[in-house]
């Protein structure tokens, strides 16, 4: 009950007591003295209800969001500084958005690994906005750039941001693919940590049996986050490892399965056949598994990441992307180009070496940090 209501009740009670009628008492010498009536016990005052405290989840969510944004800003600092350094050199002395400025912007976007096709889309959109809405001041260019890139990314997916924390299947199976050296095993480690902290039971399958180092590293990561890992000897059949992993996950009521795969085989045909075999075997154990084929790309390689994406999308069906190592490069624009060109959702980005530095990809936050 609110304090104001309590005060009203108290005032009413006081008025009722003060206005109560009193009887006149006639003294009678012979009459026995009347016994005094017991005073009415005062009504207990209602206890005020405590003010609702802020829910801890919201409080910590706000702190984490700020920390996450700060980490993202720091991770994209090199890309941000490189972009504006190039742009400022080319537009020095300019005051209006004209064809020369847009030509210079096009050059900077391409050199920042946004990609030719995506850059041309961005420039066309800005040209239209300038013509239709009479933008002319150069100081408005950054606002236009943010708005058009954000709209370009958002229109490629139904949702504004991904919700990667819940799954409709149990267990949800993610097959992780990508060439050696892009950070596949590290990504699996960070994903295992992320989802274990959310309360999910996670299992890792070491199906890259072509490199002993890959198995050993994955075992180390799994032990660090205390997640079970299913493995076999080097040279074993990767599909057999996947089979054992999914059976273990079913028997132990796991929520999420992360399957590592080989990064490089002798040729594309071998790679395609190997991945297809793993998928067929997993589908026999769990219907429609894998539910997500996640391609991991190294953002620091710039245009090479585009080439890798093309090769893997031609080889197997890729349903999501993770782009790593953005903190050590000025080539962060590759995220924009790949997200636009391949029409495949980018789920995670790596902006640092810490476990928590693998972030859910939020398009608006990314664009804001990149072009801040």
């Amino acid at each position: 009950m609110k304090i104001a209501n309590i005060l009203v009740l108290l005032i009413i009670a006081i008025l009722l007591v003060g206005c109560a009628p009193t009887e006149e008492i006639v003294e009678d010498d012979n009459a026995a003295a009347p016994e005094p009536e017991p005073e009415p016990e005062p009504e207990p005052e209602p206890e005020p209800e405590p003010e609702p405290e802020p829910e801890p989840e919201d409080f910590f969510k706000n702190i984490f969001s700020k920390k996450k944004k700060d980490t993202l800003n720091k991770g994209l600092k090199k890309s941000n500084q490189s972009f504006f350094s190039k742009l400022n050199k080319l537009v020095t002395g300019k005051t209006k958005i004209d064809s020369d400025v847009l030509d210079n912007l096009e050059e900077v976007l391409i050199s920042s690994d946004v990609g030719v096709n995506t850059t041309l889309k961005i420039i066309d959109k800005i040209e239209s906005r300038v013509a239709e809405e009479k933008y002319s001041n150069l100081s408005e260019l950054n606002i236009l750039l943010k708005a058009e890139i954000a709209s370009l990314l958002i229109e490629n997916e139904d949702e504004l941001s991904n919700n990667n924390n819940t799954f409709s299947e149990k267990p949800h199976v993610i097959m992780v693919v990508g060439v050696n050296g892009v950070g596949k095993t590290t990504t699996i480690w960070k994903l295992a940590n992320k989802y274990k902290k959310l309360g999910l039971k996670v299992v890792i399958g070491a199906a890259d049996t072509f490199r002993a180092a890959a198995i050993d590293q994955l075992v180390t990561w799994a032990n660090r986050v205390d997640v079970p890992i299913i493995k076999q000897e080097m040279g074993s059949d990767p599909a057999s490892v996947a089979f054992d992993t999914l059976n273990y996950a079913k028997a132990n009521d796991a929520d999420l399965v992360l399957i590592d795969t080989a990064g490089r085989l002798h040729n594309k045909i071998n790679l395609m056949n190997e991945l297809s075999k793993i998928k067929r075997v997993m589908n026999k154990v769990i219907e429609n598994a894998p539910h997500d084929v996640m391609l991991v790309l190294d953002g620091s390689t710039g245009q090479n990441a585009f080439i890798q994406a093309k090769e893997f999308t031609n080889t197997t069906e890729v349903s999501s992307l993770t782009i790593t190592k953005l903190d050590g490069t000025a080539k962060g624009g590759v995220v924009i180009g790949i997200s636009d060109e391949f029409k495949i959702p980018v789920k995670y980005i790596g902006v640092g070496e810490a476990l928590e530095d693998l972030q859910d990809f939020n398009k608006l936050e990314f664009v804001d940090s990149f072009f801040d």
Side-chain angles (χ1 to χ4, degrees):
M1 187 180 294
K2 293 183 178 179
I3 300 298
N5 292 339
I6 295 170
L7 290 175
V8 170
L9 290 174
L10 287 174
I11 292 170
I12 292 173
I14 292 169
L15 289 175
L16 288 175
V17 172
C19 295
T22 57
E23 294 181 0
E24 185 178 351
I25 300 175
V26 180
E27 292 186 1
D28 187 352
D29 293 339
N30 297 324
E35 295 183 2
E37 293 184 5
E39 295 183 3
E41 295 183 3
E43 294 184 5
E45 295 183 6
E47 295 184 3
E49 295 183 3
E51 292 288 328
E53 297 181 2
E55 296 184 7
E57 289 184 3
D58 292 340
F59 177 71
F60 287 116
K61 183 178 178 182
N62 291 334
I63 290 180
F64 176 74
S65 296
K66 183 180 185 304
K67 180 182 177 183
K68 176 186 172 185
K69 188 63 165 64
D70 289 343
T71 302
L72 181 60
N73 291 342
K74 183 179 177 182
L76 295 178
K77 186 176 181 180
K78 288 185 178 180
S79 294
N80 172 280
Q81 290 178 341
S82 173
F83 178 84
F84 283 105
S85 174
K86 294 174 185 176
L87 185 61
N88 290 336
K89 287 178 183 178
L90 293 174
V91 300
T92 299
K94 300 280 187 179
T95 57
K96 294 184 177 181
I97 303 175
D98 55 21
S99 59
D100 288 341
V101 168
L102 293 178
D103 286 343
N104 290 332
L105 177 59
E106 180 180 322
E107 179 183 333
V108 173
L109 287 170
I110 292 173
S111 66
S112 299
D113 290 283
V114 172
V116 175
N117 294 334
T118 303
T119 294
L120 293 177
K121 290 182 187 178
I122 295 168
I123 296 300
D124 286 345
K125 283 174 171 285
I126 293 178
E127 281 182 334
S128 298
R129 288 283 294 273
V130 170
E132 293 171 6
E133 302 176 31
K134 306 303 181 185
Y135 286 102
S136 61
N137 195 323
L138 190 61
S139 62
E140 297 171 318
L141 181 60
N142 194 36
I143 298 172
L144 282 173
L145 193 59
K146 279 186 181 182
E148 293 308 328
I149 291 178
S151 68
L152 186 70
L153 295 180
I154 292 166
E155 71 184 18
N156 289 333
E157 297 178 39
D158 295 333
E159 298 181 358
L160 186 62
S161 59
N162 297 325
N163 178 13
N164 302 323
N165 297 335
T166 57
F167 307 110
S168 56
E169 310 87 4
K170 182 174 180 178
H172 183 80
V173 182
I174 301 176
M175 184 170 79
V176 184
V177 301
V179 303
N180 295 337
V182 297
K184 286 201 313 299
T185 54
T186 303
T187 296
I188 290 172
W189 169 47
K190 292 180 178 181
L191 286 175
N193 176 72
K194 167 188 169 70
Y195 287 108
K196 185 181 178 184
K197 282 190 171 182
L198 290 174
L200 274 63
K201 294 178 69 174
V202 183
V203 178
I204 296 174
D208 181 0
T209 60
F210 292 87
R211 292 187 307 130
I215 300 173
D216 294 341
Q217 185 182 27
L218 208 52
V219 168
T220 300
W221 292 153
N223 290 338
R224 285 192 185 180
V225 293
D226 194 24
V227 166
I229 181 169
I230 308 302
K231 64 183 180 70
Q232 294 182 13
E233 298 298 323
M234 178 184 171
S236 301
D237 182 1
S240 175
V241 178
F243 180 84
D244 290 348
T245 305
L246 266 59
N247 276 315
Y248 176 91
K250 286 180 66 177
N252 290 273
D253 197 31
D255 299 295
L256 177 64
V257 180
L258 300 166
I259 302 289
D260 189 19
T261 61
R264 185 177 292 114
L265 295 178
H266 298 300
N267 55 51
K268 288 183 183 179
I269 299 300
N270 283 351
L271 177 60
M272 181 173 62
N273 290 341
E274 191 62 61
L275 295 178
S276 297
K277 181 181 178 181
I278 294 173
K279 290 167 72 174
R280 286 197 308 272
V281 168
M282 287 196 291
N283 186 53
K284 291 179 180 178
V285 182
I286 297 175
E287 188 176 2
N288 297 323
H291 306 106
D292 182 6
V293 178
M294 179 184 294
L295 173 60
V296 180
L297 300 168
D298 180 351
S300 68
T301 61
Q303 291 302 304
N304 281 338
F306 272 93
I307 297 171
Q308 292 170 22
K310 287 177 181 176
E311 288 180 350
F312 269 92
T313 52
N314 289 334
T315 301
T316 189
E317 183 180 352
V318 174
S319 52
S320 70
L321 300 171
T322 293
I323 303 179
T324 64
K325 305 182 183 182
L326 293 172
D327 55 309
T329 181
K331 300 177 182 292
V334 70
V335 176
I336 299 168
I338 287 177
S339 179
D340 169 61
E341 187 163 329
F342 290 94
K343 308 298 186 288
I344 299 171
V346 177
K347 283 192 176 180
Y348 307 99
I349 53 173
V351 291
E353 296 181 359
L355 270 171
E356 295 77 15
D357 291 342
L358 183 73
Q359 296 189 356
D360 290 359
F361 179 57
N362 182 297
K363 304 169 193 66
L364 294 184
E365 284 187 357
F366 180 88
V367 172
D368 184 64
S369 293
F370 192 100
F371 298 103
D372 189 14

